[in-house]
Every structure is written in structure tokens, then in C-alpha cells.
Amino acid sequence: MDLPLKKTFMPEKKPIIIANWKMKLGIGESKKLALELKHGIFGKKEVVICPAFVSLVEVAQILKNNHLKLGAQDCFWEVEGAFTGEVSARHLAEIGCQYVILGHSERRQHLGETDEMVHQKVRMALSVGLTPIICVGETFEQRQEGAKDYILIQQTTKALQGAVVKQNQKVIIAYEPVWVIGSGQAVSPAEASGAHQVIWQTLFDFFPSELVKNNFSVIYGGSVDSENVSKFTGLDNCAGVLVGSASLVAKEFIEIVKNS
Ligand code: PGA
């Protein structure tokens, strides 16, 4: 299938580099790392820092008026109400978040997050003006069974079917093969490219092509580091990377941004 990929429309987009700090840093550590990144990352790339909820307000202060952007790692699907322990997308926007990671495999795996929940969260994020970073990807077993493309199509479709994406809104899909997350061993760029092709095709099937070209980005995540990042960002159909472990060390993450 012939898709209009980077050669025709992606060059205008800046590389997107997203740091997912997961539940790995406390407030003090998060502030320290945010400061180091603020003083070490320059240029025009779209760099998004996603600390844990408890650190968001403090990190927001550090990144205020800075070119580094702030993202959350999840949000709830209702805007507010009696939902003890949940976090409102509107409140995230209020403290300066512009992005939110949704449907990360760790949430799907450990917290029973379903495609339907991801879908509701995507709608909510879009409705309050947050850019959703929707994680999709197959497990090792699904890959062995030959179900990878099916899973990518299912997860992408279910997250987005019926969602309203306005002209001024962005949506990022992160292809994250579950089995390489945190393993230190990324998939080959060719394999990532093939998966991205499937995701792009799914998007073109559901949304007007101009909207897909202008408003959607597909990025890769899973054991990205400063050595391998350029192999992914150099792909025609890859707009950036989502980084876990390697985003926790300032020097390494700064290097990733430089090499992307
Ligand atoms: P990793 O994590 O870079 O440590 O593999 C990526 C992610 O979970 O988003």
C-alpha cells in the first residue's frame, strides 16, 4: 500500500521526544531532573516531560515559560465528580499540562485498562484541549501468534473511532511493543516502520486524509536510548520517540534529544 509518508508531509513536523518518568521519581528527584533538562535542552524539538502526578505542580513551575512541555501519565474519563482517587483532565490542563499519555501497556496490564476506557479518556483529553499520546502495541505472545497487526488496528480503532479531532488539535500514537519495554533491547527500525505503516493506514481509514496528515503523529517507544534514537527518528513514518528508563538520567536524555 502506498501511503503519503514523511517524504511528502512529515518534514515540517518537529521531532517529538517524550519522557515518561513512570512512578520512578519522588518530588525532589523530579524537580532536580526537570531543572537539569531545562538548562540542558535547547532548540526547536518538541520535548515533553511526563512526571508522576504528585510532582506535576512543582515541575510545572520549573518549566513555566520554557520550551519544554508538560504531560501527565493518565487522566480519568469524567471531567469531575465523585471519583475518589482519580485525576481530572481539566485539572491537568489547569496546572499547565498540554499532553497526556493514555493506554500505556503497564496500565492495560496491571490496572485492567480496556480499549473502551482508553477511548473515553481520549475523548475527555481532547475535550479539554490536551494532546493525547495513545499507546498501542502487541505483547510477545500476540506477536508469536501473528496477531500483531490485528492488535495495532484494534487498539488504534477502538481508541479513536467516533472521537472528534478538531483542526487545531493534535493526536500522537505511540507504537510500543510491550515485550521490549524496559528490556534494554528495542525492536529493529524496520519492524517499527512496518507497525507504523499499519497504524497510519488505520488512521487514513477513519479520518479525512488532510486531518491525518496535519494533526496526527506516530512515534516509537520501547528501550529507546541515545545510541538507537536516530534510527527511529530517521524513519520516514516515525515522528519521534517515547522514552522510559533512559529519560531518568539527565545526560542520557539530553543526548537523546540531541541525536533525535
Ligand atoms: P522504556 O519505556 O524506554 O524503559 O522501554 C518506554 C515506555 O514504557 O514508555
Side-chain angles (χ1 to χ4, degrees):
M1 69 192 121
D2 275 344
L3 293 180
L5 297 176
K6 194 172 183 176
K7 284 190 183 67
T8 50
F9 70 88
M10 279 177 51
E12 308 106 61
K13 294 188 181 176
K14 308 175 200 170
I16 306 165
I17 302 101
I18 302 169
N20 176 10
W21 291 354
K22 308 195 180 187
M23 198 182 72
K24 296 198 175 179
L25 303 178
I27 299 176
E29 293 162 316
S30 299
K31 283 168 67 178
K32 181 171 176 287
L33 183 52
L35 270 170
E36 287 172 326
L37 298 182
K38 177 178 162 172
H39 294 126
I41 296 175
F42 307 96
K44 292 201 163 64
K45 294 176 182 172
E46 187 175 344
V47 181
V48 184
I49 310 296
C50 302
F53 283 132
V54 288
S55 304
L56 277 173
V57 174
E58 301 264 12
V59 173
Q61 290 306 315
I62 293 168
L63 302 185
K64 206 170 181 179
N65 302 325
N66 190 266
H67 59 289
L68 303 183
K69 310 282 185 224
L70 190 67
Q73 297 174 17
D74 184 38
C75 71
F76 193 50
W77 58 74
E78 294 287 345
V79 75
E80 61 182 28
F83 302 104
T84 303
E86 288 299 335
V87 177
S88 158
R90 187 201 281 161
H91 300 162
L92 292 173
E94 198 180 312
I95 61 166
C97 283
Q98 291 175 266
Y99 300 76
V100 61
I101 298 174
L102 296 174
H104 192 282
S105 62
E106 286 151 13
R107 296 196 61 83
R108 293 181 192 258
Q109 193 183 338
H110 303 302
L111 295 150
E113 196 150 299
T114 63
D115 287 332
E116 176 56 25
M117 292 178 192
V118 176
H119 174 70
Q120 296 297 341
K121 291 178 178 195
V122 169
R123 292 178 90 108
M124 178 49 60
L126 288 168
S127 78
V128 301
L130 295 176
T131 296
I133 302 159
I134 306 167
C135 300
V136 299
E138 80 288 358
T139 62
F140 187 70
E141 292 69 33
Q142 289 163 338
R143 182 172 185 260
Q144 294 296 89
E145 286 162 10
K148 180 170 110 181
D149 290 1
Y150 172 79
I151 294 295
L152 296 179
I153 294 166
Q154 284 289 308
Q155 291 184 344
T156 306
T157 304
K158 289 190 171 168
L160 283 161
Q161 201 171 18
V164 179
V165 181
K166 298 196 195 110
Q167 289 301 333
N168 62 348
Q169 290 185 313
K170 301 276 177 217
V171 176
I172 300 170
I173 315 282
Y175 168 56
E176 295 214 301
V178 178
W179 50 285
V180 302
I181 292 177
S183 71
Q185 186 66 54
V187 295
S188 71
E191 183 157 354
S193 180
H196 289 194
Q197 186 89 351
V198 172
I199 295 167
W200 278 116
Q201 186 60 59
T202 308
L203 295 173
F204 280 112
D205 285 347
F206 278 100
F207 293 98
S209 57
E210 279 310 303
L211 192 76
V212 175
K213 289 180 199 173
N214 296 325
N215 300 48
F216 286 74
S217 299
V218 179
I219 66 173
Y220 169 77
S223 295
V224 171
D225 58 29
S226 59
E227 296 283 307
N228 64 21
V229 62
S230 62
K231 299 198 177 98
F232 296 105
T233 52
L235 292 170
D236 284 350
N237 58 9
C238 179
V241 286
L242 174 53
V243 190
S245 320
S247 72
L248 299 171
V249 180
K251 195 164 172 285
E252 173 67 0
F253 189 66
I254 291 167
E255 211 51 31
I256 288 174
V257 175
K258 266 194 210 145
N259 296 348
S260 66

